[in-house]
């Protein structure tokens, strides 16, 4: 019986092997959905095959934050996306942090007389390679997953008690996807303005038709009144269709803006402290100004 929050449905998992499958060992696969430390509480009931009473063994263990990672094969190509940031710490301290926060088959060691660190990992959750290279004063992480890189940067900075840290980042695929979303945002804004203008024109025409229909009624001109109300019916139908289009356009616009905001937050997580806040603020300012190139430069080099 295993108790763990966030892994199993109902926060617990019970394994009872059949009589034909009873052995001296039992394996239970664990697949954490996120990179967070997890407390495991295990209760094992042990006894004879036909016994009615069992010995209960209890064990508590904490899984490290980065669990689903293994050493990458030697022929794994280096990812083109990366983040590089200064760190005024000894390499051995970073090695210690890696051994404490990654569940690997073998402990990581520095190379070249503790003057260089070269770690190559593979994420089992996504199959994405992560290359971490450190020389005195600088750490560079190569990975295509900007979320994972942000998690590593934040966890490492918290462990090393780094309050403020800037970085240089280059994520071409992330920038390209963000550029596509920004193009959609401009298109949705243009459609919204066009629909608003059409609605204003229809509103003015409706007021004019209502006046004409009322005048025709007072003058007992039923044919003109009927024609005016038919036109009003058509205009009303167009307004309803336009409203539905505006609602759909607004929903899609909000979805795109949410993606943009999430992208800004991801870029901010590549920094720590004040530089992180500066990046988020500068990115939002660039979006308000409509300066896309400035936005991408801020994501790569940080805020001013």
């Amino acid at each position: 019986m295993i108790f763990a929050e966030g892994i199993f449905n109902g926060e617990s998992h019970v394994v009872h092997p059949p009589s034909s499958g009873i052995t001296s060992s039992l394996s239970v696969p664990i697949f954490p959905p996120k990179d967070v430390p997890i407390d495991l509480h295990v209760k094992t009931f042990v006894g004879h095959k036909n016994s009615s009473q069992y010995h209960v063994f209890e064990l508590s263990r904490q899984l490290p934050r980065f669990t689903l990672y293994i050493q990458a094969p030697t022929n794994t190509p280096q990812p083109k996306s990366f983040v590089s940031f200064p760190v005024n710490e000894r390499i051995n301290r970073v090695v210690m942090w890696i051994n404490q926060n990654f569940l690997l088959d073998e402990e990581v060691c520095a190379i070249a007389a503790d003057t260089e660190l070269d770690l190559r990992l593979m994420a089992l959750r996504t199959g994405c390679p992560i290359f971490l290279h450190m020389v005195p004063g600088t750490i560079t992480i190569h990975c295509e997953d900007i979320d994972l890189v942000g998690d590593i940067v934040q966890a490492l900075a918290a462990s090393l008690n780094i309050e403020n840290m800037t970085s240089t980042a280059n994520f071409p695929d992330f920038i390209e996807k963000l550029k596509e979303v920004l193009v959609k945002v401009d298109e949705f804004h243009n459609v919204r303005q066009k629909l608003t203008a059409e609605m204003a024109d229809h509103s003015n025409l409706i007021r004019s038709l209502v006046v004409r229909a009322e005048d025709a009624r007072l003058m007992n001109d039923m044919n003109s009144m009927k024609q005016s109300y038919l036109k009003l019916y058509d205009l009303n139908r167009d307004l309803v269709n336009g409203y539905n289009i505006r609602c759909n356009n607004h929903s899609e616009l909000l979805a795109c803006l949410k993606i943009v905001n999430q992208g800004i937050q991801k870029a901010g997580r590549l920094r720590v402290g004040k530089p992180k806040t500066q990046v988020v603020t500068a990115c939002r300012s660039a979006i308000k100004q409509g300066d896309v190139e400035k936005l991408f430069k801020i994501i790569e080099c940080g805020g001013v």
Side-chain angles (χ1 to χ4, degrees):
M1 184 180 297
I2 304 176
F3 299 91
E5 185 177 356
I7 297 182
F8 308 114
N9 293 330
E11 300 183 1
S12 63
H13 182 68
V14 178
V15 179
H16 189 283
S19 300
S20 58
I22 296 177
T23 61
S24 60
S25 63
L26 182 65
S27 298
V28 180
I30 297 176
F31 195 88
K34 297 180 181 180
D35 291 326
V36 293
I38 298 173
D39 292 324
L40 292 178
H41 303 282
V42 183
K43 289 186 178 182
T44 306
F45 299 84
V46 181
H48 293 289
K49 189 173 183 179
N50 297 319
S51 62
S52 59
Q53 296 181 344
Y54 298 92
H55 292 284
V56 180
F57 298 90
E58 296 189 22
L59 176 67
S60 295
R61 287 289 176 89
Q62 184 182 64
L63 293 179
R65 178 169 185 170
F66 301 99
T67 305
L68 296 180
Y69 298 88
I70 59 173
Q71 297 280 355
T74 55
N75 59 348
T76 303
Q78 177 175 283
K80 57 184 178 180
S81 301
F82 71 89
V83 62
S84 181
F85 51 92
V87 173
N88 295 323
E89 289 288 347
R90 294 178 293 108
I91 292 180
N92 283 338
R93 190 172 178 189
V94 176
V95 170
M96 184 183 303
W97 174 82
I98 292 173
N99 290 326
Q100 291 175 349
N101 288 270
F102 285 84
L103 190 62
L104 303 175
D105 293 336
E106 300 178 357
E107 287 193 352
V108 177
C109 299
I111 58 177
D114 297 338
T115 60
E116 185 179 1
L117 173 63
D118 190 18
L119 178 64
R120 301 185 178 188
L121 301 176
M122 182 73 71
L124 296 177
R125 191 180 292 110
T126 61
C128 181
I130 308 106
F131 286 26
L132 189 149
H133 183 75
M134 180 179 182
V135 295
T138 304
I139 293 179
T140 303
I141 302 175
H142 289 264
C143 181
E144 300 297 341
D145 190 345
I146 191 172
D147 292 297
L148 175 56
V149 175
D151 290 340
I152 294 176
V153 169
Q154 295 298 316
L156 180 58
S159 178
L160 300 180
N161 296 321
I162 300 175
E163 296 182 356
N164 296 291
M165 185 191 73
T166 186
S167 66
T168 301
N170 183 20
F171 288 83
D173 294 340
F174 170 74
I175 293 294
E176 189 62 30
K177 291 179 181 179
L178 189 59
K179 187 182 297 184
E180 293 175 359
V181 174
L182 289 173
V183 170
K184 290 183 180 179
V185 169
D186 290 338
E187 292 175 353
F188 289 140
H189 275 304
N190 293 334
V191 171
R192 184 180 182 182
Q193 292 175 356
K194 181 180 178 181
L195 291 174
T196 302
E198 290 179 354
M199 184 183 68
D201 292 340
H202 284 168
S203 298
N204 293 330
L205 188 55
I206 284 175
R207 283 194 292 267
S208 175
L209 286 174
V210 169
V211 172
R212 291 180 184 177
E214 185 65 15
D215 290 343
R217 185 185 68 82
L218 294 175
M219 296 175 62
N220 202 26
D221 188 353
M222 296 297 112
N223 290 331
S224 299
M225 183 185 72
K226 183 178 179 180
Q227 291 177 0
S228 296
Y229 278 122
L230 288 175
K231 291 180 180 179
L232 277 173
Y233 176 80
D234 294 336
L235 283 175
N236 183 70
R237 183 182 56 194
D238 293 340
L239 278 175
V240 172
N241 293 334
Y243 172 77
N244 293 330
I245 295 174
R246 286 187 65 196
C247 288
N248 294 332
N249 181 77
H250 183 68
S251 299
E252 294 176 355
L253 176 60
L254 289 180
C256 289
L257 291 176
K258 182 178 180 180
I259 294 175
V260 173
N261 184 63
Q262 290 174 345
I264 293 174
Q265 296 297 331
K266 292 176 182 179
R269 284 177 55 80
L270 301 178
R271 288 89 184 176
V272 178
K274 188 176 179 180
K276 176 181 177 180
T277 306
Q278 290 176 340
V279 166
V280 173
T281 303
C283 285
R284 290 175 177 170
S285 177
I287 290 177
K288 289 181 180 179
Q289 297 172 5
D291 194 341
V292 178
E293 295 301 326
K294 182 180 179 181
L295 171 65
F296 297 151
K297 185 176 181 181
I298 294 170
I299 293 176
E300 293 178 357
C301 302
V304 180

